[in-house]
Amino acid sequence: MKKGIAVSPGIVISKALVLKEEVVDLNTNAISEQAIAGEISRLEDALKKSALQVAKIVEKALEELGAEKAQVFEAHKMLLDDPVLKDTITEKIKKEGISADYATHKAVEELKVVFEMMDSEYMRERAADIKDIGQRLINNIVGKETIDLAVLNEDVVIIGKDLTPSDTASMDKARVKGFATEIGGRTSHTAIIARTLEIPAVVGCGQLLDEIKTGDTVVIDGSTGEVCINPAQTELDEYSRKAAEFQARKEKMKALKALPPETTDGHRVELAGNIGKPEDVIPVLENGGEAVGLFRTEFLYMNRENFPNEEEQFMAYKSAAERMSGRPIIIRTLDIGGDKHLPYLELPEEANPFLGYRAIRICLEQTDLFKTQLKAILRGSAFGKLKVMFPMISGIAEIRKAKAVLEECKIELRSAGAAFDENLEVGIMIEIPSAAMMADQLAKEVDFFSIGTNDLCQYTLAVDRMNEKISDLYDPLHPAVLRLIKKVIDDGHKEGIMVGVCGEMASGVENALILLGMGLDEFSMSAVAIPYVKEVIRNISLVKAQEILNKCLQMETGAQIKEYIQNEMKSF
Ligand code: PEP
Ligand code: MG
């Protein structure tokens, strides 16, 4: 048995398909003057063939993985179409008198180095694309068949060193039931794709390719990180039992999808998902989410070389709005700075970036940037139920300034004849203790609050949320944090506005119970957590949750509170 990193849960027992990177024997001999034209025409044919293959992959990726993930292959297509690649290889064939395959290999290696040395992380990552496209081109020049994962005759699990973006995009998703790879981590491409496809995956297993043959029976347990090769009958029975158990739990969670998030005494809350791009609404809806409680728009600004313009942003917000068909989406304006950086936005060196020039502070100073985003959000609001939310608000003056900029945008859009929702709701994140303390006054200024417990916790407890060393001090159930959250919910309700939580806290089942007792209206979290929180809510009455909360509010430490809730939860 091999052990790797469990990156996508579930258990699968299936036949293996081993992807071995077979090294092509390149023709490194010098070629004659007369052979040059023939080599160039081999290159041209291979370029055409590769372009056709990649175009098919783009089509498939667009259909199955969405526009965002298809971009990788669009980039492959652009590389193939770029005359620089063709010219560089042709030059080498002519000047160095070498074969098309060897010239391609050399050109690709050189280009890879150029990309690897670039400043931008995004461009450095493109080196993998160059390698991918180079291999395809060489295969086509020498007439080597690439294993076509697009047409598989039986169910398989894929075993590889790592899977390339082309592998995963082109493969037959109905037949591929799991992945196990030798290298990779939680955020590697293979891991992300496995989670998107909801198939079990284990990465970083070390040696696999020499130990597994195509056709072997393999078990992949994406929850524990185990990869079992040709298991004995007793092992097979055990894994089958676990697989059935996992499936049953999954089915149970799926069955919850259609049921309302309502307590046993009829108190209804809203369960929402957090997203970073429009396509992320798909898992939110699939998991029974009824709204988007946080669209972290900074992801639209990342992995690129310049600011997204109004049109690009508008398309993203419109796409999210349309996909949610009228269900609410809270769009948070740019929250950059702190730990999140953009290569093209120079920020000053700061001793304490988390207490520095970030989020709304940047937007209120660089109003052009802010207005571009606000106009895009306003225009997007004509296509669904969008709401706008300002992050990192520390006091009333910032809200008023932000609202004034929003009004300016409305005036400009009106005079340009652009459609938008005149009643667009405006909210703020409560994630700084000063805002929590002033919530009674802030509530008069806005239509809703969303409590950012990730930051509220770090600022209240003075515990850096990124610092592993002190992570045991980071506790959303700390009585001080709970008192602040309760105050915010009570203050919001006194003014009749909706109060939600969009920090990680909302996705913990014990926390959810406490927040329910406090009367929280909306719980926003990563999509996969939604069914688990719904299960808790549907199994308790509001009265009982309030009773539990009141006991917790008398306690002295987060640890006591957690233990108490866990004990209470055993009874349902
Ligand atoms: C938060 O602070 O709780 C939050 C949701 O925002 P982020 O994690 O993006 O800072
Ligand atoms: Mg935050």
Side-chain angles (χ1 to χ4, degrees):
M1 202 224 307
K2 307 287 288 184
K3 189 111 176 118
I5 309 165
V7 292
S8 182
I11 296 176
V12 58
I13 305 168
S14 187
K15 290 258 178 297
L17 174 65
V18 181
L19 286 187
K20 265 198 181 154
E21 208 178 281
E22 282 162 50
V23 190
V24 175
D25 225 347
L26 297 170
N27 173 13
T28 54
N29 298 329
I31 56 162
S32 67
E33 189 75 30
Q34 292 87 326
I36 286 178
E39 290 303 305
I40 293 176
S41 107
R42 278 174 79 207
L43 170 68
E44 283 170 349
D45 290 348
L47 277 165
K48 276 188 211 139
K49 194 165 174 191
S50 304
L52 280 176
Q53 290 167 344
V54 173
K56 271 198 198 142
I57 297 179
V58 170
E59 217 175 278
K60 216 163 182 275
L62 268 173
E63 240 170 59
E64 293 171 7
L65 299 172
E68 168 99 1
K69 297 209 171 79
Q71 266 176 19
V72 176
F73 306 100
E74 300 273 8
H76 285 195
K77 206 160 161 290
M78 271 164 59
L79 278 169
L80 274 173
D81 293 342
D82 189 345
V84 173
L85 182 67
K86 184 180 167 191
D87 293 349
T88 316
I89 305 173
T90 312
E91 275 294 296
K92 284 198 184 302
I93 298 176
K94 284 187 190 156
K95 286 224 176 91
E96 299 179 29
I98 52 176
S99 69
D101 42 288
Y102 191 37
T104 304
H105 168 78
K106 285 179 96 176
V108 165
E109 284 302 309
E110 283 170 21
L111 228 94
K112 229 176 72 191
V113 174
V114 174
F115 274 78
E116 278 165 356
M117 280 170 32
M118 287 188 182
D119 282 340
S120 135
E121 187 186 331
Y122 176 74
M123 292 313 278
R124 281 199 303 276
E125 280 170 5
R126 300 285 69 76
D129 296 332
I130 308 261
K131 182 168 168 258
D132 220 23
I133 207 68
Q135 194 55 51
R136 176 178 300 282
L137 207 47
I138 293 172
N139 280 354
N140 282 328
I141 292 171
V142 301
K144 179 175 173 293
E145 274 310 318
T146 331
I147 297 179
D148 197 358
L149 294 176
V151 257
L152 298 169
N153 302 321
E154 57 178 347
D155 288 354
V156 292
V157 290
I158 300 210
I159 313 292
K161 184 165 193 279
D162 194 10
L163 304 183
T164 66
S166 315
D167 291 335
T168 51
S170 62
M171 74 191 184
D172 183 347
K173 311 282 184 304
R175 292 289 195 193
V176 175
K177 301 296 180 194
F179 300 143
T181 62
E182 292 190 332
I183 61 171
R186 260 205 81 73
T187 56
S188 63
H189 173 75
T190 309
I192 293 167
I193 294 286
R195 288 195 290 269
T196 308
L197 300 174
E198 293 187 25
I199 57 175
V202 178
V203 303
C205 302
Q207 279 289 328
L208 282 182
L209 301 185
D210 291 340
E211 296 179 26
I212 307 179
K213 293 186 303 300
T214 292
D216 281 351
T217 298
V218 171
V219 181
I220 296 175
D221 186 338
S223 309
T224 62
E226 288 165 9
V227 176
C228 192
I229 307 155
N230 292 325
Q233 192 55 47
T234 49
E235 287 173 307
L236 262 182
D237 293 346
E238 178 60 13
Y239 278 119
S240 304
R241 189 189 61 72
K242 278 166 92 184
E245 223 173 76
F246 181 85
Q247 205 47 38
R249 175 106 181 112
K250 206 167 159 188
E251 295 299 324
K252 192 171 164 212
M253 289 298 147
K254 277 230 173 88
L256 277 177
K257 181 179 167 180
L259 301 172
E262 194 175 278
T263 57
T264 53
D265 51 354
H267 174 72
R268 185 94 156 73
V269 297
E270 183 174 75
L271 293 188
N274 294 348
I275 66 169
K277 48 190 181 321
E279 299 86 87
D280 294 346
V281 306
I282 301 169
V284 172
L285 292 171
E286 276 172 358
N287 282 287
E290 308 161 285
V292 168
L294 172 64
F295 184 162
R296 288 186 165 98
T297 59
E298 49 278 10
F299 288 99
L300 301 177
Y301 292 68
M302 288 173 181
N303 288 339
R304 45 183 298 147
E305 296 292 288
N306 46 28
F307 283 106
N309 62 27
E310 183 184 317
E311 203 56 30
E312 285 173 288
Q313 290 195 56
F314 161 65
M315 292 306 285
Y317 305 141
K318 175 173 178 264
S319 157
E322 287 175 342
R323 285 166 191 261
M324 287 297 281
S325 5
R327 297 180 188 90
I329 305 178
I330 297 179
I331 304 197
R332 176 175 78 182
T333 59
L334 185 62
D335 184 5
I336 212 73
D339 58 323
K340 296 176 230 163
H341 290 278
L342 301 175
Y344 49 88
L345 176 66
E346 254 306 316
L347 292 177
E349 279 285 323
E350 294 179 310
N352 295 300
F354 273 105
L355 304 180
Y357 186 55
R358 57 173 298 198
I360 196 75
R361 300 169 184 180
I362 299 178
C363 288
L364 289 179
E365 194 184 86
Q366 308 197 24
T367 40
D368 285 351
L369 191 81
F370 197 27
K371 282 175 78 173
T372 302
Q373 179 169 39
L374 291 176
K375 282 187 184 172
I377 297 172
L378 280 164
R379 286 173 54 206
S381 72
F383 296 85
K385 178 88 185 115
L386 299 190
K387 307 180 187 184
V388 66
M389 173 161 77
F390 304 123
M392 295 296 294
I393 293 289
S394 67
I396 210 145
E398 283 161 340
I399 308 182
R400 291 190 178 142
K401 279 189 203 151
K403 285 198 323 191
V405 181
L406 183 66
E407 281 313 308
E408 261 179 57
C409 294
K410 286 186 180 176
I411 292 168
E412 289 174 26
L413 286 181
R414 264 182 224 118
S415 65
F420 63 88
D421 175 6
E422 287 281 353
N423 300 314
L424 178 88
E425 286 185 26
V426 178
I428 53 170
M429 289 200 66
I430 303 281
E431 51 186 342
I432 299 182
S434 59
M437 290 308 295
M438 300 299 287
D440 52 333
Q441 293 185 0
L442 304 188
K444 298 187 197 320
E445 293 285 327
V446 291
D447 301 306
F448 64 91
F449 285 157
S450 185
I451 308 172
T453 49
N454 303 340
D455 279 319
L456 186 62
C457 196
Q458 84 161 338
Y459 293 132
T460 304
L461 303 175
V463 177
D464 180 350
R465 65 193 253 193
M466 316 287 285
N467 189 338
E468 281 293 316
K469 178 95 180 72
I470 48 169
S471 60
D472 54 338
L473 289 175
Y474 185 92
D475 180 10
L477 289 177
H478 188 293
V481 179
L482 293 187
R483 286 186 192 190
L484 275 182
I485 294 175
K486 181 161 187 313
K487 177 180 180 338
V488 175
I489 297 173
D490 290 346
D491 287 350
H493 286 172
K494 270 183 211 138
E495 283 303 321
I497 66 170
M498 181 197 90
V499 184
V501 162
C502 63
E504 280 306 306
M505 183 182 184
S507 60
V509 284
E510 295 94 2
N511 307 337
L513 207 152
I514 283 280
L515 296 170
L516 177 73
M518 289 184 185
L520 189 79
D521 304 298
E522 177 231 41
F523 298 63
S524 194
M525 63 201 81
S526 49
V528 286
I530 293 173
Y532 298 90
V533 171
K534 192 188 271 188
E535 194 182 32
V536 172
I537 289 167
R538 291 186 54 83
N539 273 312
I540 192 170
S541 66
L542 178 62
V543 173
K544 178 76 182 160
Q546 284 164 340
E547 261 173 49
I548 294 176
L549 167 72
N550 287 334
K551 289 237 172 69
C552 290
L553 290 175
Q554 309 302 318
M555 294 180 184
E556 292 171 324
T557 68
Q560 283 169 356
I561 294 174
K562 186 161 187 159
E563 193 188 330
Y564 170 66
I565 305 172
Q566 280 173 342
N567 273 331
E568 284 293 314
M569 285 179 75
K570 280 186 193 145
S571 64
F572 59 89

